[in-house]
Amino acid sequence: MDDVLSDLSARLRASLLEGLPAEALLTDPQVTASYATDMASFCAAGTPAVVVLPRTVEQVQHVMRTATALRIPVVPQGARTGLSGGANASDGCIVLSLVKMDRILEISTVDRIAVVEPGVVNAVLSRAVAERGLYYPPDPSSWEQCTIGGNIGTASGGLCCVKYGVTAEYVLGLDVVLADGRLLRTGRRTAKGVAGYDLTRLFVGSEGSLGIVVQAVLALKPAPPRQLVLAAEFPSVAAACEAVCAVMEAGLTPSLLELMDRTTVHAVNALARMGLPEATEALLLAAFDTPHAPEDLAAVAELCTAAGATAVVPAEDQAESELLLQARRTAFPALEALRPATMIDDVCVPRSRLGEMLDGTAAIARARNLLIGVCAHAGDGNTHPIVCFDPADEDETRRARESFGEIMALGLSLGGTITGEHGVGVLKKEWLARELGPVGMEMQRAVKQAFDPLGILNPGKLF
Amino acid sequence: MDDVLSDLSARLRASLLEGLPAEALLTDPQVTASYATDMASFCAAGTPAVVVLPRTVEQVQHVMRTATALRIPVVPQGARTGLSGGANASDGCIVLSLVKMDRILEISTVDRIAVVEPGVVNAVLSRAVAERGLYYPPDPSSWEQCTIGGNIGTASGGLCCVKYGVTAEYVLGLDVVLADGRLLRTGRRTAKGVAGYDLTRLFVGSEGSLGIVVQAVLALKPAPPRQLVLAAEFPSVAAACEAVCAVMEAGLTPSLLELMDRTTVHAVNALARMGLPEATEALLLAAFDTPHAPEDLAAVAELCTAAGATAVVPAEDQAESELLLQARRTAFPALEALRPATMIDDVCVPRSRLGEMLDGTAAIARARNLLIGVCAHAGDGNTHPIVCFDPADEDETRRARESFGEIMALGLSLGGTITGEHGVGVLKKEWLARELGPVGMEMQRAVKQAFDPLGILNPGKLF
């Protein structure tokens, strides 16, 4: 058996080198092992046979033709900042890292599009378009590291979504290398287009399981004025959620509407000495990025006060606004610093049910005797309960896992989804079936079968 | 053979009546014949065997189970205002009209969603949500007649798209009866969600060829201030297109940016005595729906003047703005009144190529000695050249058909698409293959096969 494997491995390497330069192929087990996982906790990962780092579409096609010929699974990867194990290697797989395909091919101010390769880092693109007076909204927490290809794979969100939506809204067209190496072009460079089924959107969020994105046409917006931020302190999470609903019901369109609970506020202060108000049960941040932002912030302030806010503090200027945003962006690392390990949930509920979701999450934390900090893209109803625990403590670890599932079950019971923006990966694949039901799962599998009949693209993810 | 057919027809009726009330089944050939076509010219249509008008999801499931059992094609229909023949009957088919499923099931101001049945008329929904301070943007020309189900089927656009996008952007989740009668629920009620492949978007624009939409969760926006409109006259279409590009390059976000050529302006005046300026070669309408609309209109006025506008006239008030919008909405019927028949093209190009597209269209009109009026959603690069001709004149009819194809070929050569918002239907199915290429077509067919293995859903459309 070992002989068969090593024979296959030798054939794989030889075949790959027929269409890849030597430096694009990594085989040292110590090196390849470092490509085994993304940033999710508790997700199984295998040992890759090889890692390939192609620089051209033709090289990607060669990799896929080789994989098809030898029936070897392929796991596509970007920056491996994912939080669901979607980029974790499987045993004997080809890890196909797209990070070397990192060129911005075009930015058009008239057409408001960018054409990019998948390995472009989100922040690099964001800055490049900003220089041209344009704006690429999707801003996941990992935006300084994560790649556009990875963002497309998971349909990533961020802080901007309450006004600007998720990555999916910005993908107009794709070049995709299919499982058998053929090149498929989907979508368009135009503002509109309805020629045939929307295969573009099918690839967005497909976690590398339908094809390899090698180029993307992205829609851009004109750069808005910088955000003005307001912070409001609430005596309860429920009161803060009431304010969120009131803001949306009033017809306001904040560019950001974020909630941090007491645990998160304390964690941020502990890590970064931000001076956030520690006596508060929930801190709500609201922002606007329009010329009439001050008027809108005043309206939000009034609604927060009516919902019971104990303090409402508009930032005095850009610098103060930036500090508040920085505090929010510190929430994840701050909670991660509290205990040796964390699990990040990503449940999204209708925003009218946000209060129930967060009260229920707190009840789960109490019942399981766990430290769970919550920050939420409150305007979207998208919550990130972060379960903080010590893997060395078996009982706590068991309770952490159980709470993770209970939180997803709660989200589903409130009409929500198990994942607002992080994807399913390995972490939530049992839960996907619970959300979609048998007919939904059957049609998901039918689509997978249509694009990847041999099942070599990122097997074991999603389903 | 006739006996076999009449036997099948009898079995079909009997089977349908097992799950449908008698009044939901139309069999009188004179009546059913009136359901044979939508509003497209030159599209073949067959004779339906029956028309069914279900009122419940269960009835739709019964129809599809019957169709599957008897292998009878099903053609779903809304208001039949489509412009590509997508709703045209095929011989012996069941026409499945969804117009009786016309309930608005829910409107939520906090969640900013509406839940509707497919037969709800676009304008009825738009008015219902407006009463709650909300806005459903998609506004195809036929919005007073067309249904949400039909809008979803073709991913319809309208005048709003330059700011608000097309129907696809507003469909969060669907209930779909599959070809075999099973009920599939896709998507979500939440603002975000990435659980599994995005099947929702696959159904949007699928022209009834993958399943029957029986319920939709639609995203809503807060109602914006009413639009303020400006009209600018240009000495050439090219100059007007230059202004369009300048407006978009300046980072402005108009809620409407429409162009009418000289032919269209004259036609509108002839039909409706609108008093539009007849000496102009191109009339550009721009609108904004924000609190700072007057400032933005002033910026547009300056850019138009710089591009060579001979007159720039901002509407003095809402009433004048409304008149200008009314003039634009009259363009289609006005051009239709010029000659006995029309063919409406729907080519969308990158807006940076709009001038070339319109100049090329004018050259085709001259070369073919045809009357072609153009109105365009200029901000989107989406042009509607309307070929006006007399079907009684064989030579003119031939030239009209040829010009129709030449216009699509021009659009493709400029990096555009054959359909921005009207769909493929019967009219453009030969062209779909030219746009998508062999790999694209193969994957389109693979998706069709996955959802409709017997090929009974709207056969002969798209492909």
Side-chain angles (χ1 to χ4, degrees):
Chain A
M1 187 64 193
D2 275 0
D3 281 358
V4 174
L5 276 179
S6 94
D7 182 46
L8 179 63
S9 183
R11 276 173 61 206
L12 171 61
R13 292 171 194 199
S15 295
L16 286 171
L17 286 172
E18 284 168 23
L20 283 179
E23 69 269 19
L25 179 65
L26 308 181
T27 57
D28 176 341
Q30 281 198 311
V31 176
T32 57
S34 71
Y35 286 79
T37 61
D38 63 18
M39 289 176 63
S41 300
F42 293 112
C43 291
T47 304
V50 297
V51 174
V52 294
L53 293 146
R55 288 181 181 271
T56 69
V57 173
E58 293 69 26
Q59 290 174 2
V60 175
Q61 292 185 280
H62 176 72
V63 171
M64 292 312 304
R65 277 192 292 262
T66 304
T68 287
L70 300 178
R71 305 288 196 269
I72 291 180
V74 174
V75 177
Q77 288 185 348
R80 293 185 289 115
T81 50
L83 294 166
S84 302
N88 281 11
S90 48
D91 275 330
C93 77
I94 301 169
V95 163
L96 174 51
S97 171
L98 282 310
V99 295
K100 301 281 189 198
M101 293 180 69
D102 63 352
R103 290 178 303 164
I104 297 174
L105 301 169
E106 184 187 342
I107 296 172
S108 165
T109 51
V110 172
D111 293 329
R112 290 187 184 165
I113 57 169
V115 183
V116 303
E117 292 184 333
V120 172
V121 169
N122 180 301
V124 171
L125 176 66
S126 297
R127 292 192 185 109
V129 305
E131 277 176 23
R132 308 283 297 274
L134 293 165
Y135 176 41
Y136 178 68
D139 60 346
S141 296
S142 57
W143 74 303
E144 292 279 8
Q145 290 84 44
C146 64
T147 64
I148 297 297
N151 294 170
I152 291 171
T154 48
S156 312
L159 303 185
C160 71
C161 305
V162 64
K163 177 167 180 178
Y164 293 102
V166 298
T167 297
E169 254 89 45
Y170 296 89
V171 185
L172 296 178
L174 294 172
D175 283 5
V176 179
V177 174
L178 297 174
D180 60 9
R182 285 178 302 165
L183 185 63
L184 171 70
R185 176 159 284 189
T186 74
R188 53 203 161 84
R189 292 171 58 95
T190 53
K192 290 149 86 178
V194 293
Y197 303 134
D198 188 347
L199 301 187
T200 306
R201 275 295 271 264
L202 202 52
F203 286 103
V204 178
S206 66
E207 304 188 11
S209 69
L210 299 178
I212 310 294
V213 171
V214 290
Q215 191 175 301
V217 183
L218 304 174
L220 304 172
K221 299 266 185 195
R226 295 187 67 176
Q227 300 185 91
L228 267 186
V229 185
L230 165 155
E233 301 171 34
F234 288 87
S236 70
V237 167
C241 292
E242 205 183 296
V244 167
C245 291
V247 166
M248 300 306 280
E249 195 157 24
L252 294 162
T253 304
S255 51
L256 172 146
L257 193 52
E258 294 286 320
L259 184 151
M260 291 187 276
D261 73 352
R262 183 190 176 85
T263 303
T264 306
V265 165
H266 283 243
V268 168
N269 280 346
L271 185 74
R273 299 176 193 221
M274 283 285 187
L276 298 178
E278 301 217 340
T280 192
E281 286 298 318
L283 188 69
L284 192 67
L285 301 181
F288 290 87
D289 63 356
T290 60
H292 46 91
E295 292 89 319
D296 285 343
L297 280 185
V300 169
E302 218 168 282
L303 293 167
C304 285
T305 303
T310 52
V312 180
V313 188
E316 299 233 325
D317 51 27
Q318 288 303 343
E320 258 189 48
S321 291
E322 201 43 57
L323 264 181
L324 286 169
L325 295 178
Q326 194 50 45
R328 169 60 187 83
R329 287 202 177 272
T330 308
F332 281 4
L335 287 164
E336 280 169 354
L338 292 184
R339 303 273 290 152
T342 53
M343 294 184 81
I344 304 181
D345 239 314
D346 176 38
V347 170
C348 189
V349 294
R351 71 174 71 84
S352 56
R353 314 300 295 270
L354 185 63
E356 291 164 81
M357 182 68 211
L358 295 186
D359 282 349
T361 302
I364 291 167
R366 280 193 304 274
R368 294 277 173 200
N369 190 25
L370 284 165
L371 182 64
I372 301 183
V374 173
C375 52
H377 308 308
D380 299 323
N382 190 184
T383 71
H384 292 311
I386 299 178
V387 189
C388 307
F389 64 101
D390 181 357
D393 180 336
E394 266 184 45
D395 186 66
E396 190 179 53
T397 303
R398 180 187 53 76
R399 286 180 281 124
R401 278 174 182 274
E402 285 169 358
S403 75
F404 192 73
E406 285 169 349
I407 288 168
M408 283 192 279
L410 173 62
L412 289 179
S413 77
L414 295 171
T417 171
I418 58 165
T419 174
E421 57 182 14
H422 293 174
V424 174
V426 178
L427 194 61
K428 292 169 226 157
K429 63 184 190 172
E430 286 162 37
W431 286 88
L432 185 67
R434 282 180 69 162
E435 176 164 341
L436 300 184
V439 178
M441 286 303 287
E442 201 172 313
M443 296 324 295
Q444 295 271 326
R445 285 182 207 279
V447 168
K448 168 75 173 174
Q449 175 71 20
F451 283 85
D452 180 22
L454 298 175
I456 61 170
L457 279 166
N458 214 6
K461 312 297 162 57
L462 279 168
F463 310 121
Chain B
M1 187 65 193
D2 275 0
D3 282 357
V4 175
L5 274 180
S6 93
D7 182 46
L8 179 63
S9 184
R11 275 174 60 206
L12 171 61
R13 292 172 195 198
S15 295
L16 286 171
L17 286 173
E18 283 168 24
L20 282 178
E23 70 269 20
L25 178 66
L26 307 180
T27 58
D28 176 343
Q30 281 199 313
V31 175
T32 58
S34 71
Y35 286 80
T37 62
D38 64 19
M39 288 176 64
S41 300
F42 293 113
C43 291
T47 304
V50 298
V51 173
V52 293
L53 293 146
R55 288 181 181 271
T56 68
V57 174
E58 292 69 26
Q59 290 174 2
V60 174
Q61 291 185 280
H62 176 72
V63 170
M64 293 313 304
R65 278 193 291 261
T66 304
T68 287
L70 301 178
R71 304 287 195 269
I72 292 179
V74 174
V75 177
Q77 288 184 348
R80 294 186 288 116
T81 50
L83 294 166
S84 302
N88 281 12
S90 48
D91 275 330
C93 76
I94 300 170
V95 163
L96 173 51
S97 171
L98 282 309
V99 296
K100 301 282 189 197
M101 293 180 70
D102 63 351
R103 290 178 303 163
I104 298 174
L105 301 170
E106 183 187 343
I107 296 171
S108 165
T109 51
V110 172
D111 293 327
R112 290 186 184 166
I113 58 169
V115 183
V116 303
E117 291 185 332
V120 172
V121 169
N122 181 302
V124 171
L125 176 65
S126 296
R127 292 192 185 108
V129 305
E131 279 175 21
R132 308 283 297 274
L134 293 165
Y135 176 41
Y136 178 68
D139 60 344
S141 295
S142 57
W143 74 303
E144 292 278 9
Q145 289 84 44
C146 64
T147 64
I148 296 298
N151 295 170
I152 291 171
T154 48
S156 313
L159 303 185
C160 71
C161 305
V162 64
K163 178 168 181 178
Y164 293 101
V166 298
T167 298
E169 254 89 46
Y170 296 88
V171 185
L172 297 179
L174 294 172
D175 284 5
V176 179
V177 174
L178 297 173
D180 60 10
R182 284 178 304 164
L183 184 63
L184 171 70
R185 175 160 285 188
T186 74
R188 54 203 160 84
R189 293 171 56 96
T190 52
K192 291 150 87 180
V194 293
Y197 303 134
D198 188 347
L199 301 187
T200 306
R201 274 296 271 265
L202 202 52
F203 285 104
V204 178
S206 67
E207 304 187 11
S209 68
L210 299 179
I212 310 294
V213 171
V214 290
Q215 190 174 302
V217 182
L218 303 174
L220 305 172
K221 299 266 185 196
R226 294 187 67 175
Q227 301 185 90
L228 267 186
V229 185
L230 165 155
E233 301 172 35
F234 288 87
S236 71
V237 167
C241 292
E242 206 181 296
V244 167
C245 290
V247 165
M248 300 307 280
E249 196 158 24
L252 294 161
T253 304
S255 51
L256 172 145
L257 193 53
E258 295 285 320
L259 184 151
M260 291 188 275
D261 72 352
R262 182 189 177 88
T263 303
T264 306
V265 165
H266 283 242
V268 167
N269 280 345
L271 184 75
R273 300 176 192 219
M274 283 284 188
L276 298 179
E278 300 217 342
T280 193
E281 286 298 320
L283 189 69
L284 191 67
L285 302 181
F288 290 87
D289 63 356
T290 60
H292 47 91
E295 293 88 320
D296 286 343
L297 279 185
V300 168
E302 219 167 280
L303 293 166
C304 286
T305 304
T310 52
V312 180
V313 187
E316 300 232 325
D317 52 25
Q318 287 303 344
E320 257 189 50
S321 291
E322 199 43 57
L323 263 181
L324 285 169
L325 295 178
Q326 193 50 44
R328 169 59 187 84
R329 287 204 176 270
T330 309
F332 280 3
L335 287 165
E336 281 169 354
L338 291 184
R339 303 275 290 153
T342 54
M343 293 184 82
I344 304 181
D345 240 313
D346 175 38
V347 170
C348 188
V349 294
R351 71 174 71 84
S352 56
R353 313 301 294 271
L354 185 63
E356 291 164 82
M357 182 68 213
L358 295 186
D359 282 349
T361 302
I364 291 167
R366 280 193 304 274
R368 294 276 171 199
N369 189 27
L370 283 165
L371 183 65
I372 302 183
V374 173
C375 52
H377 308 309
D380 300 322
N382 190 185
T383 72
H384 292 310
I386 298 178
V387 189
C388 308
F389 65 101
D390 182 355
D393 180 337
E394 267 183 43
D395 186 66
E396 190 178 54
T397 303
R398 179 186 53 75
R399 287 181 280 122
R401 278 173 181 276
E402 285 169 358
S403 74
F404 192 72
E406 286 169 350
I407 288 168
M408 282 191 279
L410 174 62
L412 289 180
S413 78
L414 295 171
T417 172
I418 57 166
T419 175
E421 55 183 14
H422 292 174
V424 174
V426 178
L427 193 61
K428 293 169 225 156
K429 62 186 191 171
E430 286 161 38
W431 287 87
L432 185 67
R434 282 179 70 161
E435 177 165 339
L436 299 185
V439 178
M441 286 304 286
E442 202 173 310
M443 296 323 296
Q444 296 271 325
R445 286 181 206 280
V447 169
K448 168 75 172 172
Q449 176 71 20
F451 283 85
D452 180 23
L454 299 175
I456 60 170
L457 277 166
N458 214 7
K461 312 298 162 56
L462 278 168
F463 311 121

